[in-house]
Every structure is written in C-alpha cells, then in structure tokens.
Amino acid sequence: MNTNTPLPASGALAEVQRHLLDGKAATIAWLESYLRLQSVSADPAHGPDMAATRAFLVERLHAMGLADVQLLDAGGEAAVFGQWLGAPGRPTLLIYAHYDVQPPEPLALWRTPPFEPTTVGDRIYARGASDVKGATAIALAVVESFLRVHGGCPVNIKVFLEGEEETGSPSLRALALRHAALLRADAVLSADGGRASALVPTVNTGARGNAQLEVRLRTADKDLHSGRYGGAVRNALHEAARLVASLHRADGSVAVPGFFAGVRAPGERERADTAAFPYDEAAFFADVGALPHGEAGYSARERITLRPALDVNGLYGGHTGAGGKTIVPCEAVVKLTVRVVTGQDPAQVIHAVAEHLQALTPPGCSLEVTALHEGSPASTLAPEHPLVRAAETVLAQASGMRPIHVRLGASVPITSLFKETLGMDTLMFGYNLPDEDVHAPNEFFRLSSIHDGLMAWSSLLHELGHFSAADFPLATTPTQEI
Amino acid sequence: MNTNTPLPASGALAEVQRHLLDGKAATIAWLESYLRLQSVSADPAHGPDMAATRAFLVERLHAMGLADVQLLDAGGEAAVFGQWLGAPGRPTLLIYAHYDVQPPEPLALWRTPPFEPTTVGDRIYARGASDVKGATAIALAVVESFLRVHGGCPVNIKVFLEGEEETGSPSLRALALRHAALLRADAVLSADGGRASALVPTVNTGARGNAQLEVRLRTADKDLHSGRYGGAVRNALHEAARLVASLHRADGSVAVPGFFAGVRAPGERERADTAAFPYDEAAFFADVGALPHGEAGYSARERITLRPALDVNGLYGGHTGAGGKTIVPCEAVVKLTVRVVTGQDPAQVIHAVAEHLQALTPPGCSLEVTALHEGSPASTLAPEHPLVRAAETVLAQASGMRPIHVRLGASVPITSLFKETLGMDTLMFGYNLPDEDVHAPNEFFRLSSIHDGLMAWSSLLHELGHFSAADFPLATTPTQEI
C-alpha cells in the first residue's frame, strides 16, 4: 500500500455514518420523488419524463456539492455527471448508476401504481425501486454525507448516471470515448448489480454479457382470410413457431450451431464458489411458480451464472386483440435476448442465431434480423483487485462472515464497456436482492437495504481511501475514435 | 312445377330493373352511410356503433315497405328483421346478411380510413364493403324496387340481418329457435358467400365449416428477468412455439391425431368441378405475395375448398411494445381457427386439438383451451334443389355460359345453423369477389358488382316466383329447446 496523504481517521467514518442515519428519512423522501419520475427509456413517449429526470438529478448533484455538473451526450439519452477531486493521490472512483427504468407493462398486474411509490412494511414498491434508483439514492447520500461532515471524501469521486441502460446503452460507447478525459478514473463503483443473497455477504466478480435482437418474418404481402387461403399458403405464425422451436433442445439447452463457440467449461474454483453459495433451489423456483428446466449436467445456479442462455422475450403476430379474427397472418415479430459468458463474442452469437434462422426460413418468406444494440461481452473482476479486496474487508467487518465470490446471471453491459473504452474495472456494489421483481410488475426495494447500503457504501469509500491511485491496474489508453 | 298464382310477366322484371338502375346512385349513397357505421362485433368498445347500425337498418326496412320490422334477440347482439308476405302459395325466402364487420386492425396498413368509404375507380374501399354490406345494399334495393314498382314481390320475403357473424354467431342458434315461427321460410337466400370468379358464373353448393379456439399457456407465476432466470426455467413462448410447431407437418398438412376423423376423400364429381373452375393458381398466389404450400396430393384449390385446415390467427406473449425487454415471459396466448369439411364434427375437432396440445404440455405448465364458439359444420346444397336450378337459370341467361358448381373455403356458419334449427337450405348469392381483401386492411367492393348484383338478384327473385312453396324440400321440425 502506497499512501501519500494522511489516512482518514476511523472516527471520521463513524461521524459520517451517524449523519447518514440521521438523514435516512430525507434519503427515502428523495428516493420517492425520484421514483415518481417515469424515466422509461425504451418508450419514446416518455422523452419528456427522461428530460425531467435529468433536471432532477442535475439539481441534486449541485446541491450535494459536486463540481462540473453537466449533461454528457453522444446522440442518445444524455447522462448526468458531476465530480469532486479534492483527494490528490487517492484513487478516483467513478460511481455508476442508471436513471432509466424498464417499461411498466403489463400495467394490469401491478397492485399499486408503478410510478407512485408505495411502502408496505419493509418494502417500497415502484418501477425502478430495485433497478436501480434505490441503490442510487444510497450512493449519492454517502458521498453527500462525507462532503457535508468533513468537507471531503476519502477518495476522488466522479458520479455518472446513465439514461440508456434498459435499452442496451446504444450511445454509451460513443459517449465514453467522446468524454474520456472527464470520465476516466482508477475504477468504477457500480450501484447497479445487486447482492446475490440476503443470508451471506457476496462480492460480484463478473456478469454474463448480453445481446438483443428482433426477428421479423413475412410469408405474404398481407393478412389473408383463413377460409379463402387456409391450408394453401404458409402462415407467418406457424413458421415463426417452427423457427423458435428450433432454438432449443428438449432439455432447454441452446441448439443453435456455433452458439457455444469460445465457451469453456466452468473451472473448479467457479463450480466450488457456486456450490458454496447458500442457494435454496426449491425456494428459487417455488417463489416464481416455475419448475427447473435447462441444460443437462449443470445445477440451476450454474445455468444462470456460468452458462449462456437464449430467451424469446416477446412474440406477436396476427390478431392480438379481444375475440377471434379468421386470418392467416402474414407477419410475425420475435424479440430475443442472448446471455453470453466469458469467451463468447456477442456479435458472433447474434450472427450464429441469424444464420440458423435464415437457414430454416422457407422459400417465398423473408426474414429480417435486427440487432437492437451491439451487445456486450461477459465481464470478470480478478480476485486480487483492490476493489474486491476492499469489498471483502467491508463486508467481512459488517457481517462477521467470509464473503463468497459470485457471478451475476444478469448483464451489466457498462462493466465491459468501461473496460474496453477506458480500461476501467468495475465493482458491482448494488444493494438490491434477487427477489425484488425487477423488470416485472410489483418491483420493490427494501427499506432495510437502504440502512445496510448506507453503512456499507460509506465503509467502502473509507476503505478504498487506504489505497493509492497507483494500487489500481494501469488503465489502458482508449481508442481515440469518436 | 306447381303454380297456383299467376306467374309474374317478364315485362314486370324489366320495369323493376329499370327502376333499380335509375336508383343506383341512391343505392350507393345508402351503402356509403352504412359503411360509416363502425359495427365491429368482436370489440365491446363498439357496442354503441352496433346499436346505431341496428337503428339505421330498422329505419331502412320500414322505409322500403316491410312489415313486422323488429329486433330479434337471444342475449347477444340483436338481429334486424322485417317481412313482406303478400304472395300466398309462392315460396317464402329468408334473405340473410350480417351487419357486423371484422375489426379494422392493423390500422397503420389502411391507405384510407376504414370507416370512411373512399371510391377509387371501380372500387369502394371500407371495412365491410365486401363482407358484406355491399351485397346487403343490393338485396334490399331489389326487394324495395319490386315493392315500389309493383306493390309486391314474386316471392314472399323475410329479411334477417345478423350482428354476430364475425364473432361466430354465438347466440344465433338460440335466436333461431326462439323466433322459429317468424324466421321459418322455404329456403334462405344469403347475401353472404360471394362469387368465386369474375370470369365464369358459379353456383355455391357448400362451404367449409369452422371452429375457433383460444389457448393460454402459463409456465410461471410472473414474467422473470431473463438474466436471473434465463436458461433455468421454461419460457412460455418457447413452449407455445413448440406446441404450434407440432400442429403441422413439413408440407403444411395437419398433424393432430384425430383431426381428419370423418373426412372422406373428395369424389370424382367434386374433383372434376374443381378442375373445371378457371382458376389461375399462379395469379392467386402472386396477388398476395405467397407461394403454394399445403397437403401433398391436392391442388391449391382443393386444399382450400375440399380439405380441412388449421390456422393460428394470432399469437402473443411477453414484450410486444417498442424496443426490447429482457424477460422470460410467463404466458403465451394462441388463437386458432379450424376449417372443417363434410363429415367433420367441429366439437370433436376442437377436442382433438385440445387433447393434442394438452399431451405436449410439460409438467409445471398450465394449458387452458377455450372454444370461442361452438363451431359450425360444413354445409352442402343438393344440385337438384330449386335454389340451385333458379340460380343456374339466372346466371346462364345473364352470361350465356353454363354455371359451374363451386364450394367455398370460407365458412358461412348460418348455412348449417339454419339447416339444423329450421330445416332450411341456403343459397349463397353474394356479389363480392375473392380478391377484395376481406378480413384484411384495404377491403373493397366493386361498383360494377352493384350493377351486376341488382340485375341478378331481381332476376333470381323473379325466377324463384316460378316455383311454388311445395317445390322446396320439406322443412324438418326444429328442436324445441331454447
């Protein structure tokens, strides 16, 4: 350890944590205001809500004492940025979160309005509560308390709040390259990517990457009367069903040729870590009313963290309204997500899926495959990285247990994107839990996670202050393209 | 032939036809008003439009001189009725049409508003123009002209306009039984069920029946995050695709066990009639941008008229809005239509499909199959029936060609329903043509068909006046259940 400024006293942390607990009601109130903003990035109709959310965050970053507060933009939804660089020699951490949320549909299944935060016991229900406005409130409150109590943080801070995470961050790469100087830090601390368990402390050391595509199949110029054409022409939904049914084997494993190119079998350590994780498989499935189903030879937990997956997220064609309509549909649309693991190239995987579907498309039909975004590879954080060591220290102190290394099944594309563009490693230190119905109706966040998160984030910043910038792996020079 | 009133003079017909041609502009204007009424029976939101359409028709039946004008109802959408019974001893014809139309969706594909009739050249575009408001305008104008010019018709007339044809006539059976006395006639003359060809005269001697069902498949209690569950649970859309893909063989023939029970191979006469029909198969497919595809061993025309079919009309599940959404969907809905031929029992066919799907549904998933209506069997009109003979005479006179017997691929459920409930045979004498995009965007009807239809319908009523009621097959006594 190479320190060239005085270490913060541990009394300093205690004072900050008292301040955080005294201000917890205000932190929750701010979170509620944040949750009322309908920042749905996937739906262009919510453009004004996205802008209102940015204004709300700009005001907050100013108020908490950050400098250089501004919107950063590269043609898509702008990101919100602010920084405090008053700890020379200490590491600089880019705190990442995203202010956009998933669409709330299907609305009929929400028990409370998705954009009216509703507290029931320990739970606050709202779209985005868990993913990821709750953890954002924690991170901002911690930085603010350090600045208020001590006039400074143990590390240098850059806050970066993205607006395109839920749509696959289409312009984030260009944005990171355009604003490289402003964004470059020694590492990224992400409020996104939550805890794997409520029972044991875990350190996230990686995540599956992903890629999304949309497939449009056409069998005729128009919908046809099923009495006049039924039995004599292809039906777009029959063909789409045949294509989708071809994607998986009976056990649920992916049957697309080339899909597994570059995938290596999980190592001993990965399988041991996965096995050590106290995972109630029966409860995992019972909680969602599903039975286990997947690639033979792997546990359910291995399937969702160490193995790739391919899921149809949406499919529609023909008459989708009330009642019947006697047509032979001419078009079907299929939306898919690929989850990739270390070694897979998302672009190659998309290509393999597109080739497979194209090969099965009959003559006279047209198939159009569109990648919804360029995709992101899986990410991996080395066990000896200062971020992992600091997180282990903090979590061990808080829990009295040895933290377990886990990998996420869900993708945090920024992790690999920041690595590729700015050479920065990312520690995911979100405080949400796996049962909080993210991306689904009745999403919620736990009020107790706010308490735990405030303590852990303040401890982590304090702990990272024990390192110097030089302790972090050298950032590679990014490609200078814009 | 057994006549006990004087035959109408042929001069009487000429006078009526002059009156019809003089009033053609008024007939078209009335049709346009009729097309503006958004009588979509499948969508409960159009309830008020359905009521407005009934009021519009009641006014018309009164104005044209019918008696006993009234709404007939058996719990569903009411039918509109009126009669003229001033020709004792002559046959009584029930003129059938339906005032409801298919939903106009997808709206984006209409080049003109679906409920604003737009004339371009010989075509009048609007939802319902071809199916079947155009032919309804013809039939009513013909009856009205006979009454205006001669104060009477060559035959007794009952007009019956149904409001549930496009939803499978759920309450028509109950309605026919409840109002049996009012509706019973020697035969039915249907304005629905159009011409098979613009080139040669054809007499419709039957139609495929149909049945509709909706299948709802569930694999979990809720939509799941595809990162957190993808690869470890069943996906409702993967399972739905597998079920749909199992319904047909590679050639497009139906693969459901028991589906063909009761179906006999087409007879010599049926195949000869089908072959005699001047059918441009290449144009049939080119017009709609599709290639032939179907059961091996049959021509395309045989496939759509003499063989049964099973089509998915709509399928949806998961995210169907803009952009992507990374979920594992928990539910899929599939809408299906079965087209049945002579010998098939629609209820048995629905049962066979449901059994087949149920057998393929994996453990832990639920499948709910709902018959959208009870279905209707195929119908057949004997070649020696007075309706067929009269139609042949009229069409031969008008065209100078021998009419060809054809069967319809599309279903006209009332045909079998009127046979079963009131013992009445039906002649389908609609004037629409097969290329008029019924059930699809940009539906249209030909103005020239209005001219031809006015001439043919007036000739047909005149010709049927040469028969007596006793020439018609004895009506069977209907079941007295209500």
Side-chain angles (χ1 to χ4, degrees), chain B residues 70-268:
Chain B
Q70 60 195 281
L71 298 184
L72 304 182
D73 146 70
E77 295 289 350
V80 182
F81 177 86
Q83 61 186 355
W84 178 88
L85 301 178
R90 294 296 108 205
T92 301
L93 274 298
L94 182 78
I95 294 179
Y96 168 85
H98 60 86
Y99 65 83
D100 63 329
V101 300
Q102 282 273 316
E105 288 80 11
L107 295 173
L109 298 186
W110 282 80
R111 287 182 296 268
T112 61
F115 294 107
E116 183 45 55
T118 307
T119 300
V120 180
D122 189 39
R123 299 175 170 197
I124 182 164
Y125 288 90
R127 168 56 83 231
S130 180
D131 183 15
V132 69
K133 289 178 172 177
T136 307
I138 292 169
L140 298 185
V142 164
V143 172
E144 183 170 34
S145 281
F146 272 111
L147 295 177
R148 286 252 188 288
V149 171
H150 296 298
C153 280
V155 292
N156 298 295
I157 296 290
K158 297 183 174 198
V159 171
F160 178 75
L161 307 174
E162 193 205 348
E164 297 181 333
E165 200 275 339
E166 299 296 3
T167 57
S169 304
S171 73
L172 183 58
R173 181 173 301 269
L175 194 153
L177 293 170
R178 179 178 294 178
H179 301 287
L182 212 50
L183 295 178
R184 189 173 290 114
D186 294 306
V188 179
L189 206 49
S190 174
D192 200 9
R195 289 180 286 169
S197 167
L199 303 173
V200 296
T202 57
V203 178
N204 293 321
T205 57
R208 291 197 286 192
N210 80 348
Q212 286 185 284
L213 50 160
E214 189 173 290
V215 175
R216 194 170 289 263
L217 177 78
R218 288 187 68 88
T219 51
D221 292 342
K222 51 190 173 184
D223 289 343
L224 303 173
H225 190 297
S226 74
R228 298 197 177 159
Y229 292 87
V233 292
R234 291 191 188 270
N235 177 315
L237 288 170
H238 300 181
E239 299 305 324
R242 207 171 46 78
L243 294 187
V244 170
S246 77
L247 296 173
H248 298 85
R249 298 198 184 79
D251 69 353
S253 61
V254 177
V256 175
F259 184 85
F260 288 91
V263 177
R264 58 170 183 76
E268 279 311 307

Side-chain angles (χ1 to χ4, degrees), chain A residues 102-170:
Chain A
Q102 282 274 315
E105 288 80 12
L107 294 173
L109 299 186
W110 283 80
R111 288 183 296 268
T112 61
F115 294 107
E116 184 48 54
T118 307
T119 300
V120 181
D122 189 38
R123 299 175 171 197
I124 181 163
Y125 288 91
R127 168 56 84 230
S130 180
D131 184 15
V132 71
K133 289 178 173 176
T136 307
I138 292 168
L140 297 184
V142 165
V143 172
E144 184 170 34
S145 282
F146 272 111
L147 295 177
R148 286 251 189 291
V149 172
H150 296 301
C153 279
V155 292
N156 298 294
I157 295 291
K158 297 183 175 199
V159 171
F160 178 74
L161 307 173
E162 192 205 347
E164 298 181 332
E165 201 274 339
E166 299 296 4
T167 56
S169 305

Side-chain angles (χ1 to χ4, degrees), chain A residues 127-408:
Chain A
R127 168 56 84 230
S130 180
D131 184 15
V132 71
K133 289 178 173 176
T136 307
I138 292 168
L140 297 184
V142 165
V143 172
E144 184 170 34
S145 282
F146 272 111
L147 295 177
R148 286 251 189 291
V149 172
H150 296 301
C153 279
V155 292
N156 298 294
I157 295 291
K158 297 183 175 199
V159 171
F160 178 74
L161 307 173
E162 192 205 347
E164 298 181 332
E165 201 274 339
E166 299 296 4
T167 56
S169 305
S171 73
L172 183 58
R173 183 174 300 270
L175 194 152
L177 293 170
R178 179 178 294 178
H179 301 287
L182 213 50
L183 295 178
R184 189 172 291 116
D186 294 306
V188 179
L189 206 49
S190 173
D192 200 11
R195 290 180 285 168
S197 166
L199 303 174
V200 296
T202 57
V203 178
N204 294 320
T205 57
R208 292 197 286 193
N210 79 348
Q212 286 185 284
L213 50 160
E214 189 172 291
V215 175
R216 194 171 289 264
L217 177 77
R218 289 188 68 89
T219 51
D221 292 342
K222 51 190 172 185
D223 288 345
L224 303 173
H225 190 298
S226 74
R228 298 198 176 158
Y229 292 87
V233 292
R234 291 191 187 271
N235 177 315
L237 287 169
H238 300 181
E239 299 304 325
R242 207 171 45 78
L243 294 187
V244 169
S246 77
L247 296 173
H248 298 85
R249 298 200 184 79
D251 70 353
S253 62
V254 177
V256 175
F259 184 85
F260 288 91
V263 178
R264 58 172 182 75
E268 279 311 308
R269 163 131 198 204
E270 285 174 301
R271 298 199 89 156
D273 271 355
T274 308
F277 182 68
Y279 173 63
D280 184 345
E281 186 171 312
F284 177 78
F285 290 109
D287 282 353
V288 299
L291 293 182
H293 177 67
E295 196 181 9
Y298 295 95
S299 71
R301 179 122 193 111
E302 287 174 335
R303 286 172 187 153
I304 59 170
T305 58
L306 305 182
R307 300 296 290 169
L310 171 59
D311 268 288
V312 174
N313 311 119
L315 196 165
Y316 62 93
H319 183 58
T320 57
K325 190 176 181 193
T326 50
I327 52 167
V328 178
C330 69
E331 185 174 77
V333 176
V334 186
K335 293 164 184 276
L336 299 120
T337 301
V338 170
R339 297 285 171 180
V340 296
V341 297
T342 308
Q344 279 180 303
D345 173 356
Q348 272 186 1
V349 172
I350 288 182
H351 183 72
V353 173
E355 288 282 295
H356 172 74
L357 295 176
Q358 207 76 58
L360 291 178
T361 301
C365 304
S366 72
L367 187 83
E368 188 185 308
V369 180
T370 312
L372 290 183
H373 55 86
E374 61 188 355
S376 61
S379 64
T380 298
L381 198 59
E384 65 279 5
H385 195 286
L387 289 172
V388 177
R389 287 162 57 199
E392 285 181 320
T393 304
V394 166
L395 295 172
Q397 279 170 358
S399 66
M401 300 164 76
R402 191 183 65 80
I404 294 171
H405 289 193
V406 296
R407 292 183 61 84
L408 282 182

Side-chain angles (χ1 to χ4, degrees), chain A residues 92-96 185-190 387 414 418 424-428:
Chain A
T92 301
L93 275 297
L94 182 78
I95 294 179
Y96 168 86
D186 294 306
V188 179
L189 206 49
S190 173
L387 289 172
I414 57 99
F418 283 137
M424 304 188 293
D425 291 310
T426 299
L427 176 71
M428 292 181 278

